[in-house]
Amino acid sequence: MTEQAAAQTQPLQFMLADTDPIFRVGLKACLDAVADIQVVAEADNPAQVLQLFSRPSAEEASPEVDPQSLDLLILDISRVGDTEANGLLCQQLKGRYPNLALFVLSATLDPDQLTKLWQVGVEGFCRKGSVDTPTLIQQFRRASQGQRVWDAAQKAQAQIVPQPDAPPPMVTRNVTAFTLLRQVFMQTGLKQIEQTLEQLQARRQGEALTQWQRAVNEGRERELQSVRWLVRQYMERQSGTAEEEAVSDPEEPAFSWANVDPWETDELAVPSRITEVSDGGNLAAQPDITTVLMDGLLAKLPTSLTNRTQDPLEIDILKAQKRQDLFLIVLKQFETVVEELRYAQVTRSQLVTKRSKLLQDLWLGSTADFFGKYLTIPLSAAVNTQGLEDIEIVSVLQQDQAIVKADILNKIPLVTELLDHLLFKAPLLVDNTLSAVGSPEAMLQAEALLSNLVVSVANGVLQPLLNRFATNEAIKQSFYDRSLISTRDIERFRNALSNHYRSRRLFKEPTEIFESQYGLIVFSEAGLQKISVYGSRDQELKQLQGIRFFVTLALEGRDAIAPPLQATFTFLGRGVVYILTQVIGRGLGLIGRGILQGVGGTWQDIFVSRKSQEK
């Protein structure tokens, strides 16, 4: 059975969290009667959900719940307190587990509470007793697939229905023609943005998109939402000036950054984050730098699949689409790691000690997502001589964790500095100069470091595969490029990789250490390219031994001997050129000129002699 078929036969995993035990028992009985739905966990209070998700063991009565395995969490927040508590609970769930779908059941919620639920990205909402059981179960199915199950009445009560055709009335004072024209342009631009956003959302929900197409679609949505916020912020500020005074529509709430609804995406969405930055006492919401970097790399991925580094990389063996999917998976896993660090409130000093563990988790998660946790492959007849069954590839690949860590993960440069920059807004060292967060130099440096990290982890995902299952037919047909599908080509490719790692360890790495540089592989419009950035590596230089140490000595000796030798050879070369051109050359020229003159005079005498004889 294929992985896709297994996913289709597996029932949907639901969890119930309701303070009313009678309603919870009745709802569970109705869901248990449905073949494709299974209630795997319950909680008698929605506030206990986070505790169940984070509990390390099952020592208490309630078992541990894995939020990654749930398809839908159904919770009643009617008795969870005020509006802020309701929104905070759902916001924490969405922030920590963005792929977990939420469906809220409630007896009474006011419009402010509904608005908060919509803003934080709750997939579904329904009032208790408003629909029959079959309709409610169908809404559960749709919400578990990432669809927003909110009818028009609920949206209207939550005050989230846009009114593009009915702009708020304007009362102006001393209105100029330029002011009116500006207002017309802004209103027209907002309508165009809303229309484009509706088209993108309809495309995401109505078309079968690939992973890459969904990611690009979501990136465009985030960009348009940011532009919409900026335009509305500008209009609100202008409305307070002496030129005009706006009277807001009582039926439409004031816009805030929370209305952007960053979690209104499907399972592969990378949630948008915001950061409050103080500006003269005023708080201005700005997109998180991690989201900006992710969107920038996503925009470059379609043209960054070709290796232009002149060095072999493990990812070169993949098909173009598989290579793109792998990059996207590593980016998604990195975003998850950053969010987990942010919610865990890790200190700056702890980043150094956790560096190795973070990279291992990133590699393990990327490996499992790329190949699939339960992907099995048949062994060839030549290998399966003892009648062994098919094996799960991920469990075997993860056994090479120590090798990947030593060869690739430990050698990824400036990981701690990148995380410090993203989490704590620490400046980056660019060409021995500190660059603040948001500066062009810091953005370029951060993008280069993130690009190199993604490519390195992607290479680490494939290294165990090439070591253990390089010539397996099932692997070749599913993952390899057609140009590298024969056994001879695969072995040639593996030999090239081995020579590259050997040469890099013995010669390239010592050279980079001696030159205080890090070699990075970055995404560019022309493909994967190699650049160098400055980094202090004096401690590494002191620890070099053996051949690597003698490489640096040879470089230092060449630097000491080369200038005087070059000056000496330059002087001697100029002398030789002078002798050849000015002395020997001119002498040969005079001799040649004399020979030519002699030959010419001889021919002239012969010609005169013949003329005389003819006469």
Side-chain angles (χ1 to χ4, degrees):
M1 181 180 296
T2 62
E3 187 177 3
Q4 182 177 3
Q8 292 176 353
T9 58
Q10 183 180 4
L12 298 174
Q13 308 289 310
F14 285 8
M15 177 179 177
L16 302 180
D18 197 311
T19 56
D20 188 350
I22 299 177
F23 182 87
R24 188 172 72 249
V25 171
L27 180 60
K28 183 178 184 300
C30 295
L31 294 177
D32 288 340
V34 182
D36 62 338
I37 296 177
Q38 180 182 5
V39 179
V40 297
E42 295 182 58
D44 56 5
N45 190 336
Q48 296 178 355
V49 173
L50 291 175
Q51 299 177 1
L52 294 176
F53 286 171
S54 60
R55 183 175 298 159
S57 62
E59 297 177 356
E60 301 181 14
S62 299
E64 181 183 7
V65 180
D66 182 13
Q68 305 297 334
S69 64
L70 293 177
D71 295 299
L72 184 67
L73 171 60
I74 305 170
L75 63 158
D76 176 16
I77 59 174
S78 301
R79 306 177 186 178
V80 183
D82 58 2
T83 304
E84 294 298 328
N86 293 331
L88 180 60
L89 174 63
C90 295
Q91 184 173 359
Q92 288 177 336
L93 290 171
K94 274 297 181 182
R96 298 185 184 182
Y97 315 105
N99 295 334
L100 176 62
L102 302 181
F103 196 103
V104 173
L105 293 173
S106 177
T108 56
L109 280 182
D110 56 37
D112 291 336
Q113 291 174 315
L114 292 177
T115 303
K116 189 66 176 178
L117 295 179
W118 176 272
Q119 292 171 356
V120 300
V122 172
E123 280 76 6
F125 171 80
C126 182
R127 295 190 180 276
K128 289 185 175 180
S130 61
V131 296
D132 55 12
T133 302
T135 303
L136 183 61
I137 293 176
Q138 185 62 27
Q139 291 180 353
F140 288 162
R141 290 194 183 97
R142 292 171 54 195
S144 66
Q145 298 172 359
Q147 301 181 25
R148 299 299 291 271
V149 188
W150 290 63
D151 60 29
Q154 294 166 351
K155 292 182 181 179
Q157 188 174 5
Q159 301 179 355
I160 53 182
V161 178
Q163 303 291 339
D165 297 330
M170 305 293 295
V171 179
T172 62
R173 283 189 246 161
N174 299 326
V175 179
T176 63
F178 174 77
T179 302
L180 293 176
L181 185 61
R182 180 178 59 192
Q183 290 295 326
V184 171
F185 282 154
M186 288 186 176
Q187 293 292 344
T188 304
L190 285 176
K191 290 181 180 180
Q192 293 178 352
I193 292 175
E194 295 289 350
Q195 293 173 359
T196 306
L197 282 173
E198 291 177 0
Q199 293 174 1
L200 293 174
Q201 294 171 359
R203 180 171 182 260
R204 184 187 61 203
Q205 297 176 0
E207 299 182 16
L209 304 178
T210 63
Q211 292 181 347
W212 165 246
Q213 290 174 335
R214 284 199 295 268
V216 173
N217 198 77
E218 293 154 10
R220 293 186 61 190
E221 288 186 38
R222 288 194 293 271
E223 291 176 356
L224 290 174
Q225 289 164 354
S226 301
V227 173
R228 180 179 61 182
W229 175 80
L230 290 173
V231 173
R232 289 183 176 179
Q233 285 290 102
Y234 178 78
M235 293 177 64
E236 290 178 1
R237 291 183 180 181
Q238 290 297 322
S239 64
T241 62
E243 293 184 356
E244 58 193 22
E245 179 179 327
V247 179
S248 60
D249 187 352
E251 297 182 357
E252 184 174 357
F255 183 82
S256 65
W257 178 259
N259 292 344
V260 170
D261 188 14
W263 288 283
E264 189 182 357
T265 55
D266 54 20
E267 61 179 358
L268 288 177
V270 179
S272 299
R273 305 293 182 215
I274 61 172
T275 304
E276 290 186 348
V277 180
S278 178
D279 183 12
N282 298 324
L283 291 179
Q286 295 182 352
D288 183 68
I289 186 174
T290 305
T291 303
V292 176
L293 290 177
M294 298 274 291
D295 291 343
L297 291 185
L298 287 174
K300 293 181 179 180
L301 277 185
T303 57
S304 300
L305 301 179
T306 305
N307 182 8
R308 307 288 186 185
T309 64
Q310 307 301 322
D311 293 329
L313 302 174
E314 285 85 347
I315 57 176
D316 293 342
I317 202 170
L318 289 178
K319 300 176 182 178
Q321 184 61 47
K322 290 292 184 180
R323 202 177 312 166
Q324 192 177 78
D325 293 343
L326 180 55
F327 287 150
L328 188 61
I329 286 172
V330 177
L331 274 174
K332 177 177 175 291
Q333 287 292 329
F334 177 79
E335 197 268 347
T336 302
V337 169
V338 172
E339 290 303 316
E340 290 178 352
L341 289 173
R342 183 176 286 117
Y343 284 114
Q345 298 181 354
V346 177
T347 61
R348 297 180 65 179
S349 60
Q350 292 175 335
L351 287 178
V352 179
T353 59
K354 293 181 179 294
R355 177 191 181 279
S356 180
K357 180 65 168 58
L358 295 175
L359 291 177
Q360 291 180 36
D361 292 343
L362 179 60
W363 175 76
L364 291 172
S366 301
T367 302
D369 284 357
F370 182 64
F371 295 107
K373 290 184 179 180
Y374 309 107
L375 174 65
T376 59
I377 60 173
L379 294 177
S380 62
V383 177
N384 193 11
T385 57
Q386 301 178 355
L388 299 177
E389 298 180 356
D390 296 347
I391 60 175
E392 293 185 358
I393 182 174
V394 172
S395 60
V396 177
L397 296 181
Q398 291 180 348
Q399 295 176 8
D400 289 352
Q401 179 175 342
I403 299 176
V404 176
K405 177 181 176 182
D407 291 345
I408 296 178
L409 299 183
N410 286 348
K411 297 182 179 180
I412 301 177
L414 304 175
V415 176
T416 305
E417 288 77 2
L418 176 62
L419 292 175
D420 194 15
H421 181 72
L422 298 180
L423 293 173
F424 303 102
K425 313 306 178 193
L428 277 178
L429 188 65
V430 182
D431 294 333
N432 206 26
T433 302
L434 291 177
S435 299
V437 175
S439 63
E441 297 81 7
M443 292 297 295
L444 290 176
Q445 183 86 340
E447 182 177 307
L449 295 178
L450 182 56
S451 299
N452 183 75
L453 179 112
V454 170
V455 175
S456 299
V457 174
N459 288 330
V461 170
L462 291 180
Q463 189 188 62
L465 182 76
L466 294 173
N467 290 338
R468 291 179 176 267
F469 307 105
T471 57
N472 185 279
E473 287 299 327
I475 295 296
K476 291 195 295 184
Q477 295 175 9
S478 300
F479 296 96
Y480 289 1
D481 186 79
R482 292 185 59 184
S483 62
L484 293 172
I485 203 170
S486 69
T487 302
R488 180 180 180 183
D489 290 333
I490 293 173
E491 294 302 326
R492 185 185 300 158
F493 178 73
R494 294 177 62 191
N495 292 333
L497 281 174
S498 299
N499 294 332
H500 165 67
Y501 278 108
R502 191 177 300 110
S503 174
R504 174 169 179 77
R505 181 182 179 279
L506 295 178
F507 302 105
K508 294 182 180 179
E509 284 185 359
T511 302
E512 291 178 353
I513 293 174
F514 189 57
E515 295 176 350
S516 299
Q517 292 182 347
Y518 290 104
L520 305 180
I521 300 176
V522 299
F523 297 120
S524 69
E525 289 74 9
L528 294 175
Q529 293 186 342
K530 196 169 185 179
I531 65 171
S532 297
V533 297
Y534 169 79
S536 177
R537 311 188 69 175
D538 292 340
Q539 293 297 327
E540 297 178 75
L541 183 61
K542 296 177 181 178
Q543 298 175 0
L544 291 179
Q545 296 178 354
I547 298 177
R548 292 156 59 88
F549 175 70
F550 284 107
V551 169
T552 61
L553 291 181
L555 292 174
E556 185 176 3
R558 186 189 67 177
D559 294 339
I561 298 174
L565 284 180
Q566 184 178 3
T568 302
F569 282 112
T570 301
F571 176 77
L572 295 176
R574 289 177 179 176
V576 172
V577 170
Y578 179 83
I579 293 174
L580 292 177
T581 57
Q582 301 298 323
V583 179
I584 300 178
R586 287 189 176 184
L588 293 176
L590 293 175
I591 296 173
R593 186 181 304 172
I595 294 174
L596 291 177
Q597 290 178 353
V599 172
T602 303
W603 280 103
Q604 186 176 6
D605 293 341
I606 294 174
F607 180 76
V608 173
S609 169
R610 288 183 178 178
K611 289 291 185 179
S612 302
Q613 292 177 1
E614 291 177 357
K615 291 180 179 180

